[in-house]
Amino acid sequence: VFEQAGEGIVLIDAETLGFVEFNDSACETLGYTREEFSRLTIRDIQGDAASEDIAQHIDDINRYGKADFEITHRHKDGRMLMMSIRNRRIDVGGKNYWVATWHNITEMRGLMQALSDEVERRRILVENSLDGIIVINQEHRLIESNRRFAEMLGYDDGEVLGLMTWDFEAQFDEAYV
């Protein structure tokens, strides 16, 4: 199960921060062979996180027995990967270890940023349009509009929300619905 997991799983010595045990997925995610990975520690792969952030995560694991967070890890080729990390503290023979699973969320984060950028770009286009732009739901209620549409009707921005199509369009009335 450990080796077949799609996510990286590592057993970390809580004192040295070295990798005691790990699956192939952990190595592959960061581009290392098993031999190379066995010589690394958490500090070798940590990305641009400030040392106080790392210290806080370590403190959380030791204090609460767990810590879930997102952090960058450095790929062997130098690329920074955004990782979702789940750490749990375990004691084996009186020695502290952490069991961590990590999932590379770099692509997902990039897609989320691209979507957020597109939403912002469209919002700016609609808000700065010289045309009145509206969105009406199936009940003929205005649920979204730009400032220009409100100005065209002589309203302040936002006052048009909730109007029915027959409140501003002569060809519609309640009987039309």
Side-chain angles (χ1 to χ4, degrees):
V1 171
F2 183 75
E3 280 303 325
Q4 298 304 313
E7 294 185 332
I9 303 173
V10 294
L11 180 64
I12 302 164
D13 182 317
E15 189 175 319
T16 67
L17 302 182
F19 299 110
V20 176
E21 198 58 56
F22 44 86
N23 65 1
D24 287 341
S25 185
C27 299
E28 291 165 7
T29 298
L30 297 180
Y32 291 97
T33 64
R34 288 189 69 80
E35 183 181 327
E36 293 168 326
F37 198 84
S38 69
R39 295 189 301 264
L40 299 174
T41 70
I42 289 294
R43 298 215 186 275
D44 295 324
I45 65 167
Q46 74 184 23
D48 296 330
S51 58
E52 58 267 10
D53 292 340
I54 299 297
Q56 182 62 53
H57 297 313
I58 291 171
D59 186 51
D60 288 347
I61 297 166
N62 289 328
R63 179 179 298 167
Y64 305 113
K66 63 181 180 175
D68 299 341
F69 51 89
E70 293 178 359
I71 196 167
T72 56
H73 279 176
R74 187 179 326 292
H75 190 277
K76 181 180 175 180
D77 66 12
R79 287 181 293 139
M80 300 308 283
L81 303 177
M82 179 57 74
M83 307 295 283
S84 174
I85 309 290
R86 293 179 55 95
N87 273 306
R88 300 296 179 261
R89 187 184 67 223
I90 61 171
D91 296 316
V92 178
K95 188 163 171 67
N96 286 325
Y97 295 94
W98 304 330
V99 175
T101 59
W102 60 42
H103 183 71
N104 183 354
I105 59 171
T106 307
E107 185 177 343
M108 180 187 71
R109 283 299 172 126
L111 293 171
M112 288 173 59
Q113 184 61 53
L115 179 59
S116 177
D117 293 347
E118 179 64 16
V119 166
E120 180 63 11
R121 186 180 73 77
R122 287 178 185 255
R123 185 195 65 75
I124 290 169
L125 287 172
V126 168
E127 274 306 309
N128 293 301
S129 175
L130 298 177
D131 297 320
I133 299 173
I134 62 174
V135 176
I136 300 170
N137 68 13
Q138 293 175 326
E139 289 81 35
H140 294 267
R141 183 175 309 280
L142 194 145
I143 59 172
E144 193 174 332
S145 72
N146 66 351
R147 185 176 336 116
R148 179 66 182 130
F149 182 77
E151 291 170 357
M152 291 167 59
L153 295 181
Y155 287 98
D156 288 331
D157 198 21
E159 286 183 326
V160 293
L161 294 180
L163 291 178
M164 305 302 285
T165 52
W166 47 85
D167 292 331
F168 57 85
E169 183 63 54
Q171 71 182 21
F172 290 101
D173 60 25
E174 290 183 64
Y176 180 81
V177 180

